């Protein structure tokens, strides 16, 4: 078999290094432990293996595989520590620091839309004292963006790219290997595997009917039914129009920020790759490059200007 025949037989090989960047992003970041690693790196300056073991309770082999994947993806930088008990430190790279907004949106979603969200530490904008989640703004026009003011555009030939399983995390241990629940448990229904992520993303793009989901995804009816049912059980979608449509609930629509930042991060992480999906801000016509804005003072919010304040008098002071 010639190389071209091999490539023709394996669609994923055609994109080679340029696997769909959005799918690759969900494969990497749509993972509870990976997100917990990043959260602890930001919030607790975790940088050593044992710090993450202590905080996450993850099985060591599972943590090793996630750290390796993050190093390989350029999110963490491994620094040898020859004299220390831990042989390496893992530091956030510039690309790693760029996941901050994704985590803020995940925290905000959990804070507002999960029964256990009230136990989360509160985000405080130190410049104005405002407490609570930020909103998404469009860097192109500096206006606040809601999902209603955006159009999600799918590249016509990207159908298989979104859906094909490609290089799945073969090293991925089952979710059950992680004990307990944390702030990322519930959102995994939506972003924890590529099919669910694609179905939720299409719903955010305005897709409602079973046949339209199928038309945009190379997905079997059984798998699609399974994901739609899971998303309905998780109150991210609901059935409408006598069961013929699946519509986002407010809880589902509130995932917009998470998706906006995941998509924009994928462009940073995989520069040069053509994404199969993009969000356009209809109000200004530009491709959405999102940023966060404080609801209290309208200023843009960055890492340096916020703190997480543990809520007083609660039995669960730990984030997660
Ligand atoms: Zn705009
Ligand atoms: Zn503010």
């Amino acid at each position: 078999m010639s190389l071209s025949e091999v490539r023709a037989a394996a669609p994923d090989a055609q994109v080679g290094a340029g696997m769909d960047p959005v799918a690759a992003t969900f494969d990497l970041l749509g993972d509870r432990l990976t997100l917990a690693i990043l959260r602890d790196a930001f919030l607790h300056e975790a940088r050593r293996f044992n710090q993450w073991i202590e905080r996450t309770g993850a099985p060591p082999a599972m943590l090793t595989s996630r750290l390796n994947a993050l190093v390989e993806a350029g999110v963490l930088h491994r620094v040898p520590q020859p004299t220390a008990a831990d042989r390496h430190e893992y530091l956030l790279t510039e690309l790693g620091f760029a996941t901050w907004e994704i985590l803020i949106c995940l925290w905000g979603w959990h804070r507002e839309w999960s029964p256990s969200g009230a136990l989360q530490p509160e985000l405080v904008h130190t410049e104005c004292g405002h407490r609570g989640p930020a909103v998404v703004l469009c860097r192109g026009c500096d206006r606040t963006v809601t999902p209603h003011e955006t159009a999600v555009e799918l590249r016509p030939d990207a159908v298989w790219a979104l859906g094909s399983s490609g290089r799945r995390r073969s090293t991925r241990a089952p979710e059950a290997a992680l004990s307990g629940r944390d702030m990322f448990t519930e959102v995994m229904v939506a972003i924890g595997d590529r099919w669910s992520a694609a179905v939720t993303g299409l719903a955010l793009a305005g897709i409602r009917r079973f046949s339209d989901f199928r038309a945009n995804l190379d997905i079997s009816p059984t798998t699609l039914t399974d994901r739609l049912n899971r998303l309905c059980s998780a109150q991210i979608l609901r059935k409408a129009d006598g069961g013929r449509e699946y519509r986002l609930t407010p809880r589902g629509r509130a995932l917009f920020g998470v998706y906006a930042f995941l998509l924009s991060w994928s462009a940073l992480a995989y520069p040069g790759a053509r994404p199969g999906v993009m969000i356009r801000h209809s109000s200004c016509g530009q491709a959405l490059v999102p940023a966060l804005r404080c609801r209290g003072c309208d200023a843009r919010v960055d890492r340096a200007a916020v703190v997480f304040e543990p809520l007083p008098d609660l039995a669960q002071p730990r984030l997660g």
Side-chain angles (χ1 to χ4, degrees), residues 137-143 145 281-288:
L137 74 83
C138 164
R139 284 185 194 263
C141 66
D142 208 43
R143 275 179 284 183
V145 182
H281 186 207
S282 317
S283 313
C284 72
Q286 301 185 66
L288 177 65

